[in-house]
Amino acid sequence: MKVGIIGSGHIGGTLTRRLCALGHDVTVANSRGPESLAGLAAETGATAGTVDQAVGAAELVVVAVPLFAVPNLPTKAFDGKVVVDANNYYAQRDGDIPDIADRSISSSRWVAGHLAGAHVVKAFNNIQAQHLLEQGRPAGAGDRIALPVAGDDEQAKQLVMGLVDELGFDPVDAGTLDESWRQQPDTPVYGTDRDAEGVRVGLASARP
């Protein structure tokens, strides 16, 4: 699959490494430009590009940037794309975003509002990057970690759930984007490496 990754930090860099190792055609971009990604490209075989280049040919795009940077993305470039929102809202980093801070909307609903033409799916936001890199397991393994996946478009969600499985994790349907607050920071499934049943219980027990 042709995958665009926007962001080369902990999660973006890890997904670049993992997806390249699985044979996907990855173009990675960040705010500093392709030249800053030469090392990651050489290490992984990914293509270093601009944001427009990473998004343009992609069948799936991962956005893994600080949430405050989302409004600066070229929104029209994402029209019609399946977009994985791997972001989290941290007020100390992202500033005051009132609608997210008071839980009026989930952070992914806020992202979807900025990328209005995209099919946004929430995933990869609740796992530590090192665990995403090292702890993928074959299907059926007793110690397989599960990851929640939330989205409004069922076809897009199934595509992302298949990718989660390929990476070595059990995908758990976490409902719609409006329900994705259940996997945000300070919820039972955030950073806790639960199995599939544990994720389902954690999602159900989350409180606003």
Side-chain angles (χ1 to χ4, degrees), residues 2 36 39 45 48 51 69 72 86 107 123 127-128 135 140-141 144-145 159 189 194 196:
K2 289 184 179 296
S36 70
V51 172
N72 299 324
S107 64
I127 185 171
Q128 295 178 38
Q135 296 192 22
R144 207 180 200 214
I145 295 169
L159 179 66
V189 302
R194 297 179 175 220

Side-chain angles (χ1 to χ4, degrees), residues 90-117:
Y90 302 111
Q92 65 272 26
R93 178 195 66 189
D94 299 312
D96 184 29
I97 304 176
D99 286 345
I100 303 176
D102 69 11
R103 298 292 183 111
S104 295
I105 60 173
S106 67
S107 64
S108 284
R109 177 62 69 198
W110 185 85
V111 169
H114 286 282
L115 306 179

Side-chain angles (χ1 to χ4, degrees), residues 25-207:
D25 182 356
V26 177
T27 299
V28 60
N30 63 16
S31 61
R32 298 184 301 279
E35 60 282 351
S36 70
L37 296 166
L40 181 62
E43 173 195 340
T44 62
T47 299
T50 65
V51 172
D52 283 314
Q53 288 169 338
V55 176
E59 299 164 68
L60 178 145
V61 181
V62 178
V63 176
V65 299
L67 205 65
F68 70 79
V70 168
N72 299 324
L73 295 173
T75 56
K76 288 297 183 185
F78 292 83
D79 284 358
K81 302 290 185 180
V82 176
V83 174
V84 179
D85 172 25
N87 303 322
N88 288 304
Y89 172 58
Y90 302 111
Q92 65 272 26
R93 178 195 66 189
D94 299 312
D96 184 29
I97 304 176
D99 286 345
I100 303 176
D102 69 11
R103 298 292 183 111
S104 295
I105 60 173
S106 67
S107 64
S108 284
R109 177 62 69 198
W110 185 85
V111 169
H114 286 282
L115 306 179
H119 307 292
V120 176
V121 178
K122 182 79 161 187
F124 303 119
N125 73 296
N126 75 308
I127 185 171
Q128 295 178 38
Q130 198 69 23
H131 294 186
L132 181 60
L133 181 67
E134 297 176 347
Q135 296 192 22
R137 299 289 186 268
D143 59 346
R144 207 180 200 214
I145 295 169
L147 299 181
V149 180
D152 297 339
D153 183 299
E154 283 301 319
Q155 187 173 353
K157 186 157 58 172
Q158 289 301 317
L159 179 66
V160 177
M161 291 177 77
L163 194 64
V164 169
D165 183 50
E166 188 182 358
L167 285 162
F169 303 92
D170 281 333
V172 172
D173 191 329
T176 67
L177 286 186
D178 289 332
E179 296 174 279
S180 65
W181 63 267
R182 296 178 181 274
Q183 66 196 75
Q184 291 178 174
D186 301 320
T187 62
V189 302
Y190 182 76
T192 52
D193 293 343
R194 297 179 175 220
D195 64 10
E197 181 58 26
V199 166
R200 293 186 188 99
V201 170
L203 292 170
S205 65
R207 294 294 176 263

